[in-house]
Amino acid sequence: MTIYQFLLLFLLWVCLPHFCSPEIMFRRTPVPQKRILGARVPRSDGKILHRQKRGWMWNQFFLLEEYTGSDYQYVGKLHSDQDKGDGSLKYILSGDGAGTLFIIDEKTGDIHATRRIDREEKAFYTLRAQAINRRTLRPVEPESEFVIKIHDINDNEPTFPEEIYTASVPEMSVVGTSVVQVTATDADDPSYGNSARVIYSILQGQPYFSVEPETGIIRTALPNMNRENREQYQVVIQAKDMGGQMGGLSGTTTVNITLTDVNDNPPRFPQNTIHLRVLESSPVGTAIGSVKATDADTGKNAEVEYRIIDGDGTDMFDIITEKDTQEGIITVKKPLDYESRRLYTLKVEAENTHVDPRFYYLGPFKDTTIVKISIEDVDEPPVFSRSSYLFEVHEDIEVGTIIGTVMARDPDSTSSPVRFSLDRHTDLDRIFNIHSGNGSLYTSKPLDRELSQWHNLTVIAAEINNPKEMTRVAVFVRILDVNDNAPQFAVFYDTFVCENARPGQLIQTISAVDKDDPLGGQKFFFSLAAVNPNFTVQDNEDNTARILTRKNGFNRHEISTYLLPVVISDNDYPIQSSTGTLTIRVCACDSQGNMQSCSAEALLLPAGLSTGALIAILLCIIILLVIVVLFAALKRQRKKEPLILSKEDIRDNIVSYNDEGGGEEDTQAFDIGTLRNPAAIEEKKLRRDIIPETLFIPRRTPTAPDNADVRDFINERLKEHDLDPTAPPYDSLATYAYEGNDSIAESLSSLESGTTDGDQNYDYLREWGPRFNKLAEMYGGGESDKDA
């Protein structure tokens, strides 16, 4: 313990008289009267007196905190006026801390504190005291409360709620501008002494800031503090109790103060003159460079707007403010030309967009600089004298005539000769051509307005020294009309006249067309090539004419068709005319003039067939061809069918000709003499009813004598066919039942067999082999039949 604290404790003990006698005496005190049974005391005035109840008389105890002695700290003494000192009474203590923090001597009533007490934990304790008879354990005094109050000592230093504070204040603030308030708290008793009285002082941060001792408000202490010079400050504040006197306890905190920006600085260009370069070929909108003015401020206080305020290039260039970088981008506003001008000068201004009126005296918040822009030369393509050309020419000019001239030059300072050419994609027919040296366009083929009225050409101009540099221009050639086409009938006219027509009757109205297009419009005249006794032409003077009859009645049987030549001419120069012929048919009409029928040729031979009729005729022809092809295919299929399905199937085909004619004189009959003429079939021929798989060489057979009998001839042929491997496995028997006069072969008919003198013998048929057994049975049994 320091000397100062010891002296302070001593003064406290001296100044407080109750500390000199820390004893509570119990004495009688007046209390409300209370009726007590069997305890009446008579008085001289005739009234009954009651005994007064006894009570405590006591004072408040005081105890100094933070006792550091080795013994228990004495608090005070309880004593009752009923205590005679014989030890018959017993003192009892209850309440806050009784028995643990505070103990009492049962006999003497002395109260002690068993340990150090901290007022900041608990400022006072409320206890209850009672005195009882030790023998009867009855209270001799009623229970009463008393308070032990803890006296404070300066044992707590002031503390701040935060170790580090953060604050800000605008730069250039006036002296005394409040920045922030800091407050420290002291746990000591503020109502007792100066232990909790705190005084603030600044330990670090002078001379820029100050602090109010009583409130802890930090204020600016210097004028015109500039953020651009210094932005961050660290201030240390001390809080000291005991009113700041020597010996008081203290605590500190740190306050970081930032100067916020205000617009107190104008923008400034780092250079008075800026040089830029740009190619003359740069298109409009090209960025050629940038300028930037520096501003010491930040945020919106540093925002700058750029503009061109003067110079000879205000109409050629423009400037755009880039918000992100705060730069002024200079762009091309109009096309540049090195040959016209090579240097431009601009005066560019940069101005703050947010100006603080408080700092107008520091202005003006703008700055200017000079920008010089040099134009650099590039090799440019030739330039035509016009953006497009229009030439007009009459269609009847001669081939090779010049229709116009295009002009182009090299705009570079070192002018190069120019060569002209035609883009052939725009003149596929090669109607035009151009002189490469002077750009003169001329015709290379005849012109015809009626085929094409306009020709859209493209002419190319290229430098001779650098052919890659070229320019194109459109050339429009309009072909002017010349009256070189004669008018003609507008349509084909199918004209007829009734047989009962009368003179002056209208049979047709005609009109004309002309490919030419005169300026004054078309005007046609109609007339007959020669005087016609049957018809006449009447001009309507509106580019139409009427065909009228001149006689009464026509006869189609005499003349069925009339040809009427009509001359059509225009009124342009030179006058063009043509002759068109009208074909007028003579037809029979009813009384109303409606055609009923015309000449036979006209009725039987129509002018033409419609598309539908032609298609129908073609379909019919195709169907007929398909039917013929199918029929031929079916017929061929039948011929190819085999006559015998198997080898055992043996058939005899008998072909009977029942036509009886004129015998030998019948030239249409079969000449049986062929059977007797072996030479007629000596040559071996292949059969036509089958297709042999292998062609064998025909075998030569001995010829029968000319007078051989038919039987021998047939036998020879049978043997021949029996040995022929290419012959079918069946025989065909042809019976010729023709009877004629003086037949070389005798008749085989049996019609006259009954009238003959003798019966014919057909037994020889049996000798012909098994194939003729059937015939032998039929003819060989004549006698048996006859007998029957």
Side-chain angles (χ1 to χ4, degrees), residues 113-337:
T114 61
R115 58 181 176 83
R116 292 175 58 182
I117 297 175
D118 189 359
R119 189 199 68 83
E120 286 71 38
E121 293 181 0
K122 194 172 179 66
F124 62 90
Y125 296 87
T126 302
L127 295 97
R128 293 182 295 277
Q130 191 176 26
I132 63 174
N133 190 299
R134 187 181 294 272
R135 183 175 60 85
T136 62
L137 300 179
R138 284 188 169 184
V140 296
E141 294 289 349
E143 186 180 53
S144 180
E145 289 185 353
F146 66 95
V147 176
I148 299 177
K149 187 174 182 182
I150 309 303
H151 261 302
D152 180 52
I153 65 173
N154 189 19
D155 59 344
N156 293 280
E157 70 275 5
T159 58
F160 290 94
E162 297 182 13
E163 293 183 2
I164 298 177
Y165 287 85
T166 301
S168 62
V169 63
E171 62 173 333
M172 307 298 291
S173 297
V174 297
V175 175
T177 301
S178 175
V179 179
V180 69
Q181 182 178 12
V182 294
T183 303
T185 58
D186 196 322
D188 295 326
D189 189 1
S191 61
Y192 180 76
N194 293 326
S195 298
R197 184 186 174 192
V198 178
I199 298 298
Y200 300 95
S201 62
I202 184 168
L203 300 181
Q204 177 182 329
Q206 295 174 331
Y208 307 104
F209 299 95
S210 64
V211 64
E212 292 183 357
E214 299 292 337
T215 62
I217 298 175
I218 301 175
R219 299 182 181 274
T220 57
L222 279 180
N224 300 327
M225 286 193 295
N226 196 343
R227 183 196 66 83
E228 289 72 32
N229 296 332
R230 184 177 178 182
E231 185 176 4
Q232 299 288 340
Y233 294 88
Q234 191 176 71
V235 178
V236 178
I237 301 297
Q238 182 188 60
K240 191 173 184 181
D241 58 9
M242 298 297 295
Q245 298 178 3
M246 183 178 294
L249 303 179
S250 64
T252 61
T253 187
T254 301
V255 181
N256 293 327
I257 301 175
T258 302
L259 295 182
T260 58
D261 185 59
V262 297
N263 192 8
D264 58 340
N265 293 280
R268 290 288 180 264
F269 283 105
Q271 299 173 348
N272 294 329
T273 304
I274 300 173
H275 295 274
L276 299 176
R277 295 180 179 274
V278 60
L279 296 175
E280 64 171 333
S281 60
S282 299
V284 174
T286 302
I288 63 175
S290 63
V291 295
K292 185 174 183 179
T294 59
D295 194 325
D297 298 322
T298 61
K300 69 176 184 178
N301 296 321
E303 292 182 0
V304 178
E305 187 74 25
Y306 296 90
R307 65 178 64 90
I308 299 174
I309 59 175
D310 198 3
D312 54 11
T314 55
D315 57 339
M316 302 298 294
F317 300 94
D318 200 359
I319 190 168
I320 302 173
T321 302
E322 181 64 39
K323 297 297 183 181
D324 296 334
T325 61
Q326 289 298 306
E327 292 180 333
I329 309 299
I330 298 177
T331 60
V332 178
K333 188 176 181 180
K334 290 183 179 180
L336 304 175
D337 187 8

Side-chain angles (χ1 to χ4, degrees), residues 452-497:
S452 179
Q453 186 176 357
W454 286 90
H455 295 273
N456 301 325
L457 307 177
T458 298
V459 175
I460 302 173
E463 295 181 10
I464 294 179
N465 297 335
N466 186 8
K468 293 183 179 180
E469 295 295 334
M470 61 179 61
T471 307
R472 296 170 178 265
V473 70
V475 178
F476 305 102
V477 181
R478 181 183 180 184
I479 309 302
L480 301 179
D481 185 40
V482 175
N483 192 24
D484 57 348
N485 291 279
Q488 298 176 351
F489 282 130
V491 296
F492 174 77
Y493 295 101
D494 186 10
T495 308
F496 70 93
V497 62

